[in-house]
Amino acid sequence: MAHKQRYFEDVEVGQEIPPLEKHPTTQQLVKYAGASGDFYQIHYDKDFAIKNNLPGVILHGALKNAFLGQLVTDFAGEHGWLRKLSVQYRGMDQPGSMIVCKGKVVKKHSEHGQHLVDCEIWLENAKGEKTTLGSASVVLPSRHQAE
Amino acid sequence: MPIDKSIVGKTGKPFTMPIEWSKVREFARAIRDPNPVYFNPELAKQECGGVPVPPTFLQVAAFWMGEDSMPTANFDLRRILHGEQEFEFLKPIFVGDVLTGTSRIADVYEKEGGRGGKMTFMVTEIEYKNQKGEVVAYARGTLVETGQAVGG
């Protein structure tokens, strides 16, 4: 998908980042295991997960972090730049239900000629629980610099 | 086990991480990020100056590096949780770059936990330099050793 470039001047404090819906499946967990090299069995072997007192297989925390990474790179656009992405893992999620990545602009500031937008970001599961939360700092181009 | 502060500052053996398009593409597919810059090198070159990597791609290094590259504490693996993860980017990373990562134990501390009893936290920072010797990113991870087995 081609993203329309967002500029620093387009963004207001308090503004919501366009949410990103994800529908993780067990198959996706297997693909992520292969792509990342994280083959801990709690992410794809249900018997193993249950034996380890889990309700079933659970999402890799790093996959949820990747979802939040997509949320903010979509927001930044091709000419924006992600400076910092920080997340805290707070809870488990199981495949088979929708997850929504959300965010909100909390601060706009300029530093060394860079126009920075700081955001709160989080991931909400179908029960409305915020199982991963964090922050991101994104550099956006300015309309005054664009030719 | 009492907390051992002496491990702070300990570094691992530097490891090499070539940024390969096939691996980047596989990662983008796995996380289902359809952004064309990961799949169309010509467009990526025009828009970004090269094929970029998804922000959390450096996470895969944890499973690629050898054991001697990761300085560790005497943590019980059955009681480990990945608590926090941070990526800080200083310069762009593109397919074709060859990164060198050096891992360092940045901090170790204890906190009283809830159900899990006493918890020990270890912060590891990996500094990534590109083939020109420029620092491009820091990846900081916090591991938590809980008082009892995870999920128990």
Side-chain angles (χ1 to χ4, degrees):
Chain A
M1 86 192 91
H3 306 294
K4 191 172 151 274
Q5 184 60 50
R6 186 173 273 106
Y7 290 89
F8 187 67
E9 291 79 10
D10 302 338
V11 172
E12 307 268 358
V13 171
Q15 183 181 328
E16 280 180 24
I17 295 178
L20 173 70
E21 285 183 11
K22 288 288 189 178
H23 301 267
T25 58
T26 311
Q27 186 197 47
Q28 182 171 33
L29 303 193
V30 172
K31 284 175 85 173
Y32 186 77
S36 70
D38 184 348
F39 288 104
Y40 191 20
Q41 297 94 318
I42 58 170
H43 303 302
Y44 55 84
D45 181 339
K46 193 175 173 184
D47 293 342
F48 182 93
I50 289 170
K51 223 178 276 172
N52 282 273
N53 302 312
L54 294 167
V57 297
I58 59 167
L59 268 62
H60 300 76
L63 177 61
K64 297 193 275 185
N65 195 355
F67 292 164
L68 289 169
Q70 183 185 343
L71 174 82
V72 290
T73 47
D74 281 356
F75 178 70
E78 267 76 68
H79 301 287
W81 163 253
L82 174 63
R83 271 276 305 270
K84 211 180 213 183
L85 174 68
S86 310
V87 305
Q88 296 181 339
Y89 301 119
R90 290 288 176 84
M92 295 183 282
D93 286 295
Q94 292 183 260
S97 66
M98 189 176 76
I99 273 180
V100 188
C101 302
K102 295 183 178 178
K104 190 171 77 178
V105 175
V106 293
K107 193 179 169 190
K108 281 178 75 176
H109 54 119
S110 297
E111 243 176 54
H112 312 295
Q114 285 190 323
H115 303 290
L116 287 153
V117 176
D118 297 343
C119 307
E120 269 174 21
I121 51 173
W122 66 93
L123 186 145
E124 250 175 62
N125 64 19
K127 292 178 214 153
E129 298 161 336
K130 294 180 181 180
T131 57
T132 307
L133 45 102
S135 61
S137 191
V138 164
V139 177
L140 288 184
S142 165
R143 288 198 186 277
H144 305 302
Q145 288 166 343
E147 58 270 59
Chain B
M1 185 167 300
I3 181 166
D4 179 9
K5 274 269 182 194
S6 71
I7 60 168
V8 174
K10 206 165 122 184
T11 56
K13 191 178 153 204
F15 61 95
T16 305
M17 186 170 166
I19 307 295
E20 296 160 328
W21 186 36
S22 55
K23 210 56 206 169
V24 169
R25 232 175 7 175
E26 183 190 355
F27 189 89
R29 280 200 189 113
I31 66 172
R32 297 211 189 106
D33 186 340
N35 197 326
V37 294
Y38 303 130
F39 301 99
N40 182 339
E42 267 174 48
L43 174 88
K45 191 155 193 217
Q46 203 181 311
E47 294 289 332
C48 315
V51 176
V53 299
T56 63
F57 182 72
L58 293 177
Q59 189 74 50
V60 306
F63 302 97
W64 291 1
M65 68 173 91
E67 264 179 40
D68 51 354
S69 288
M70 183 50 88
T72 49
N74 274 332
F75 274 23
D76 177 352
L77 285 178
R78 288 162 307 171
R79 294 192 282 137
I80 291 269
L81 285 174
H82 191 169
E84 292 177 30
Q85 183 67 40
E86 176 173 278
F87 295 97
E88 188 181 347
F89 299 100
L90 286 83
K91 295 211 173 243
I93 299 168
F94 293 125
V95 162
D97 284 350
V98 179
L99 306 187
T100 302
T102 309
S103 184
R104 182 177 73 88
I105 296 180
D107 200 6
V108 180
Y109 56 94
E110 270 179 347
K111 259 191 207 171
E112 286 299 327
R115 287 180 304 149
K118 195 181 277 181
M119 302 194 291
T120 310
F121 293 74
M122 178 172 78
V123 185
T124 305
E125 180 183 86
I126 307 176
E127 179 199 71
Y128 288 96
K129 283 185 177 167
N130 63 15
Q131 62 280 10
K132 297 177 214 155
E134 301 165 328
V135 178
V136 289
Y138 291 101
R140 301 182 186 97
T142 305
L143 290 181
V144 187
E145 187 189 50
T146 58
Q148 59 184 35
V150 173

